[in-house]
Amino acid sequence: MNTFGKVLGIFLVLFLFLALQAQAVTITFNYQTPGDGSGKTSPYFSSDNIGDVNHSYYNSSTDTMYYIETFDVRDDDGDVTGGGFTTLDVTDIDITPSDGTIGFANTSVTSAHAAPLDDDTYYAYIPGTNTYFTNHSSLSVMIDLVDFTTYVPNTYISYLGLYYGSIDNYNNLKFYNSDGELITGSGALADGILEGSEIRTAGTAPGDWYAEGSNIYVNLEFDANERFSAFAFETTGVAFEVDNIVSGVRAVPEPATMLLLGVGLVGLAGVSRRKLKK
């Protein structure tokens, strides 16, 4: 094989290696403690003092715009008046369930749901109606985030964070692409499903209301090559509790870096060939 072929081969191998590396979803469990009494929130965007301000924040260190949903309905004075999917006050953007039922509460423990650890604010729970308890079939609530990427073109959902309360093994998150298909990648999201048993701390009892290891803030960092536009809460029991959902939107990266690398390698091969001909 000549020098040009060797260099081109190296470039292709490197390109494929980087492409494969980019498929992984990074999952972490770090968080910050918010001052509003909601237990845990995203390390990128706190829910402190957001009653009368826009629920969006640009983080220059990650070059990402973050949006937060706290489930606390507030009046014009910033006072909490109830719970619901109405706190995301961003023009033309909202988080709404496309199917299924969601309930909202600020009570600690009931027969149907329990607040995430140290969460004294409103939180969401699934299922939101008692009709589910009569048959105990699998219930799924889809949350469509497509508004985020259509509001600002050439962007993708790069981050999702949520406070996942009293995690049971049957509390799962499913991630879908724009075609309504489960995304595929590697690691915990190889099948597009993040199961409760995959994130609950080993040795912690499922559904424990008071254990740190069963009340976890989950951060999912998505690569541009592994995009999703919707996710679903799925449960086959009582119940799925969640608070402080944070979504991150980032510009789709241009392939300029890889293009420059390829041009450089091909140019290097050309120089080598000219030297061999002399």
Side-chain angles (χ1 to χ4, degrees):
M1 181 184 294
N2 59 30
T3 304
F4 177 78
K6 289 180 180 179
V7 174
L8 182 59
I10 293 173
F11 168 67
L12 291 175
V13 170
L14 179 61
F15 181 84
L16 290 174
F17 173 75
L18 292 175
L20 290 173
Q21 289 293 99
Q23 294 299 311
V25 175
T26 302
I27 302 176
T28 59
F29 307 108
N30 51 319
Y31 66 94
Q32 57 179 314
T33 302
D36 65 351
S38 57
K40 298 178 181 179
T41 191
S42 171
Y44 300 117
F45 188 12
S46 174
S47 51
D48 291 355
N49 304 319
I50 61 173
D52 55 355
V53 298
N54 202 318
H55 291 196
S56 61
Y57 167 70
Y58 175 71
N59 189 314
S60 58
S61 64
T62 60
D63 194 24
T64 303
M65 179 67 77
Y66 295 97
Y67 304 92
I68 190 168
E69 171 59 73
T70 65
F71 306 109
D72 297 311
V73 177
R74 298 175 183 268
D75 59 23
D76 293 337
D77 296 324
D79 298 322
V80 177
T81 59
F85 261 110
T86 59
T87 63
L88 190 59
D89 188 17
V90 181
T91 304
D92 296 329
I93 297 178
D94 202 1
I95 297 177
T96 54
S98 58
D99 57 32
T101 57
I102 296 180
F104 307 95
N106 63 347
T107 53
S108 297
V109 178
T110 73
S111 60
H113 49 82
L117 182 64
D118 296 327
D119 192 344
D120 297 323
T121 66
Y122 277 90
Y123 60 93
Y125 63 91
I126 298 101
T129 62
N130 290 328
T131 55
Y132 161 77
F133 299 115
T134 61
N135 54 32
H136 285 79
S137 61
S138 175
L139 182 140
S140 180
V141 175
M142 183 77 75
I143 307 296
D144 195 342
L145 299 180
V146 69
D147 278 354
F148 288 106
T149 53
T150 56
Y151 182 62
V152 181
N154 299 318
T155 57
Y156 73 101
I157 305 296
S158 61
Y159 170 81
L160 182 72
L162 68 159
Y163 188 18
Y164 204 154
S166 55
I167 303 170
D168 285 295
N169 290 341
Y170 49 75
N171 295 156
N172 302 326
L173 287 171
K174 291 187 174 182
F175 294 86
Y176 297 87
N177 60 26
S178 58
D179 295 325
E181 302 170 339
L182 284 171
I183 68 170
T184 56
S186 59
L189 277 184
D191 56 357
I193 303 173
L194 183 62
E195 300 177 2
S197 58
E198 291 179 305
I199 60 175
R200 184 172 45 81
T201 302
T204 303
D208 193 315
W209 302 326
Y210 306 110
E212 288 281 346
S214 188
N215 293 268
I216 298 174
Y217 200 91
V218 181
N219 304 283
L220 298 106
E221 308 274 0
F222 291 85
D223 185 86
N225 293 323
E226 193 171 37
R227 306 179 197 178
F228 78 101
S229 60
F231 67 95
F233 300 106
E234 185 179 76
T235 184
T236 57
V238 183
F240 198 132
E241 299 93 352
V242 63
D243 202 357
N244 291 340
I245 298 178
V246 175
S247 306
V249 179
R250 182 181 298 170
V252 176
E254 297 292 336
T257 302
M258 290 305 298
L259 179 61
L260 288 173
L261 177 61
V263 170
L265 288 173
V266 172
L268 179 61
V271 172
S272 299
R273 292 181 67 189
R274 285 196 298 270
K275 287 183 178 180
L276 289 174
K277 289 179 178 179
K278 291 181 179 180

